[in-house]
Amino acid sequence: MSRIFRRTTMRRAIIEGGVIYLAGVLLALVPIGFWPAPVFPLVLVVRLALWALPPIWAALRVVSTRREKMSRRFWRLGPTLALLCGLANMLIALFIGEAQPYGGLAGPADIVRLTAHGAGALSVGAFALTMLAEFGLLLVYYTIAVICTRLANGGFLRFTMPAGNGRVTL
């Protein structure tokens, strides 16, 4: 069953990772008052998981040959997924709005703020800097997560300790 679950193409794995990230961003847009108080901490944990899961999910879903551990396509998986998720985040910020740290919209859509004047205005430079910072965070984390997932899946992170007559592999 596990082998059948994992069989997919790189393109489909990237799309699935993007959908997971998109679900997390959209969940962040739900206002705090919508959630009952006992459920809210669980929502925060789910949001964090939906942010961190896409590179791990995508790296686990792609089937590779027995000899392939870290080929070029896996080195590109993290940055490609980060780019897709960064673009999705930018489009949501532009047309829906950005989320507050604990949930809910922080204000109007950024496209409205880019054309506004006064206290609520947003400069193109500030918007670009914010999006580049978020993309940089995604790029670093997603690349590291894909590499570690591939190495752990391929058995590179195993080590053997002598234990009496036998050997123990961790």
Side-chain angles (χ1 to χ4, degrees), residues 8-117:
T8 191
T9 63
M10 183 69 76
R11 179 178 297 151
R12 181 173 173 150
I14 290 171
I15 292 170
E16 289 174 356
V19 168
I20 292 170
Y21 179 82
L22 189 62
V25 172
L26 293 176
L27 184 63
L29 295 176
V30 177
I32 298 173
F34 177 80
W35 307 107
V39 175
F40 184 67
L42 180 64
V43 171
L44 292 177
V45 171
V46 169
R47 280 181 48 196
L48 178 65
L50 290 173
W51 180 85
L53 186 63
I56 298 166
W57 178 268
L60 286 175
R61 289 278 288 148
V62 175
V63 171
S64 58
T65 63
R66 193 176 269 268
R67 300 182 73 164
E68 179 186 38
K69 299 293 181 203
M70 282 301 297
S71 65
R72 286 185 194 151
R73 68 187 190 134
F74 285 107
W75 282 103
R76 286 190 305 256
L77 177 59
T80 303
L81 193 56
L83 181 64
L84 175 72
C85 294
L87 287 174
N89 189 32
M90 182 182 70
L91 290 173
I92 288 175
L94 272 174
F95 297 109
I96 297 174
E98 294 186 40
Q100 294 178 355
Y102 291 109
L105 283 173
D110 284 351
I111 198 156
V112 172
R113 294 178 58 210
L114 284 169
T115 59
H117 299 291

